[in-house]
Structure formats: structure tokens, C-alpha cells
């Protein structure tokens, strides 16, 4: 069974190769940070939706067996936006790999970590880093907004942020793990 796949409906869209390569580059950085074994615990399907597709970008499970990351990219040449969105959703995917595919929805803490990882992935790799920092600091959701402070505490270093995730995962697992179902009892 494949562990990573793009939606086949995307391949004929303009600049799909740029989109695909940016996703692959970010994914390689995550593999380097967290290890391939962790990231292959769950199959990942990447899609994109720009209108009428519900809340996007998002990371969710399908039939409790596949994780789907659905981005909201209108222009596949905007590699910074692709990096920002995919890194954020990929961090949610990491939490699903660590806690379980059916973990509870992300809370403010998890959203701050995901926003921080987006900034860490952009740091040193984009022309408009200050604009992205201002974007995060100006978001209406408090959890997303706190991502700037978390990233700054880690000096925008993805390795330090990964260590923070590892240091805090046991405590977070207690509140993010799915409740026991009747079947589990």
C-alpha cells in the first residue's frame, strides 16, 4: 500500500509540477526531522480545493484509515504559500502519527505549534519572511497567532520545535487522545 499520494485530479492543472515539487521538498524536510518511519505510520493523501470544498486548508482522516491534507492554493507558482500551508497541515499529520489517526480535533496549543512550524519551514528559505511573520501575528485565531511566539522562542529552528513537540507529547497525548468508544471497553 502506498503511504503518500497526490489527488490525480490535480495533475492537469497549470503549474502542478511546481506544486508537487514544493510539497515533496517540505515532506523531505519533515522526513529528515521526524523520520520516515513515523511519517509512514499512516497513509497520506494530498489534495487542493479553492472553492466550494468546505473549510480549507485542513487535515482530516477518511474512514479512520487514511489522512487527507487539503490545501487552499489558487496559484501553484506561489511556493511560499504552499510551504506555509503544507507545513502547518503536515504538523497536524505528525500529531496524528504520534497520537492516533482518530485523535481529537486540534486545540489552541496544537494550532500554535503548527503555525510555528510553518514559520520555521519558511525561515531562511523565502524572500518575504517578515510578511509571513506579520501574517501569523495578525491572524484572528489566538492559537494560530501564538505560533509566532512559539517559533520565535525556538529561534525559527525546526529542530528545536521538533524537540519541543517530543518533550511535550506525553502531556498533550492525555488531552488529544480519542475517548474510549463502547467497542474499546
Amino acid at each position: 500500500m502506498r503511504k503518500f499520494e497526490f489527488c490525480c485530479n490535480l495533475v492537469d492543472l497549470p503549474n502542478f509540477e511546481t506544486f508537487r515539487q514544493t510539497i515533496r521538498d517540505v515532506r523531505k524536510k519533515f522526513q529528515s526531522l521526524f523520520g520516515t518511519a513515523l511519517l509512514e505510520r499512516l497513509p497520506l493523501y494530498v489534495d487542493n480545493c479553492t472553492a466550494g470544498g468546505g473549510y480549507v486548508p485542513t487535515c482530516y482522516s477518511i474512514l479512520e484509515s487514511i489522512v487527507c491534507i487539503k490545501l487552499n492554493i489558487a496559484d501553484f507558482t506561489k511556493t511560499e504559500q504552499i510551504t506555509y500551508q503544507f507545513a502547518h497541515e503536515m504538523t497536524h499529520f505528525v500529531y496524528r502519527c504520534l497520537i492516533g489517526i482518530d485523535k481529537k480535533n486540534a486545540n489552541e496549543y496544537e494550532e500554535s505549534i503548527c503555525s510555528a512550524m510553518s514559520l520555521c519551514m519558511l525561515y531562511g528559505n523565502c524572500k518575504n519572511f517578515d510578511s509571513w511573520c506579520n501574517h501569523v501575528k495578525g491572524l484572528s485565531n489566538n492559537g494560530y497567532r501564538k505560533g509566532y511566539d512559539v517559533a520565535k522562542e525556538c529561534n525559527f529552528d525546526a529542530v528545536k520545535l521538533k524537540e519541543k513537540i517530543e518533550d511535550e507529547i506525553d502531556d498533550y497525548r492525555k488531552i488529544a487522545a480519542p475517548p474510549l468508544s463502547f467497542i474499546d471497553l
Side-chain angles (χ1 to χ4, degrees):
M1 174 185 215
R2 278 192 201 170
K3 294 292 186 173
F4 179 74
E5 184 176 328
F6 288 93
C7 174
C8 64
N9 293 331
L10 301 176
V11 296
D12 293 327
L13 295 175
N15 300 303
F16 172 72
E17 284 305 317
T18 302
F19 175 82
R20 178 171 32 195
Q21 190 57 52
T22 304
I23 297 292
R24 285 180 173 164
D25 291 346
V26 173
R27 187 168 177 263
K28 283 180 187 173
K29 289 177 184 177
F30 271 80
Q31 286 175 318
S32 161
L33 273 175
F34 293 99
T36 301
L38 175 73
L39 298 182
E40 289 189 351
R41 285 185 185 174
L42 300 169
L44 177 61
Y45 183 75
V46 177
D47 198 358
N48 188 62
C49 181
T50 54
Y55 183 83
V56 286
T58 189
C59 177
Y60 59 94
S61 67
I62 302 170
L63 301 173
E64 293 186 0
S65 60
I66 299 170
V67 178
C68 179
I69 289 178
K70 191 181 288 187
L71 302 178
N72 182 17
I73 307 295
D75 180 350
F76 283 179
T77 65
K78 301 214 180 251
T79 57
E80 290 179 12
Q81 183 183 15
I82 296 165
T83 298
Y84 177 84
Q85 284 188 21
F86 187 65
H88 182 105
E89 301 308 327
M90 193 68 180
T91 307
H92 287 303
F93 175 72
V94 165
Y95 277 111
R96 287 186 184 277
C97 291
L98 290 167
I99 295 170
I101 195 167
D102 55 348
K103 73 171 213 56
K104 292 179 182 175
N105 288 337
N107 64 12
E108 195 173 275
Y109 166 80
E110 184 177 331
E111 292 297 355
S112 71
I113 297 293
C114 295
S115 289
M117 186 61 80
S118 290
L119 292 175
C120 291
M121 288 290 154
L122 287 169
Y123 184 71
N125 297 309
C126 75
K127 298 175 190 171
N128 302 304
F129 185 70
D130 289 339
S131 295
W132 285 106
C133 289
N134 290 332
H135 168 74
V136 171
K137 289 189 282 187
L139 291 169
S140 61
N141 179 294
N142 193 43
Y144 299 143
R145 212 173 37 251
K146 286 181 178 178
Y148 173 79
D149 295 327
V150 172
K152 189 174 179 183
E153 286 171 19
C154 294
N155 296 316
F156 302 98
D157 183 337
V159 173
K160 289 180 182 175
L161 185 57
K162 174 213 172 225
E163 291 167 356
K164 178 178 177 64
I165 292 168
E166 290 174 338
D167 290 346
E168 298 173 356
I169 192 62
D170 288 335
D171 289 334
Y172 186 58
R173 186 177 280 119
K174 292 173 188 171
I175 59 172
L180 291 175
S181 69
F182 178 72
I183 295 170
D184 296 329
L185 299 176

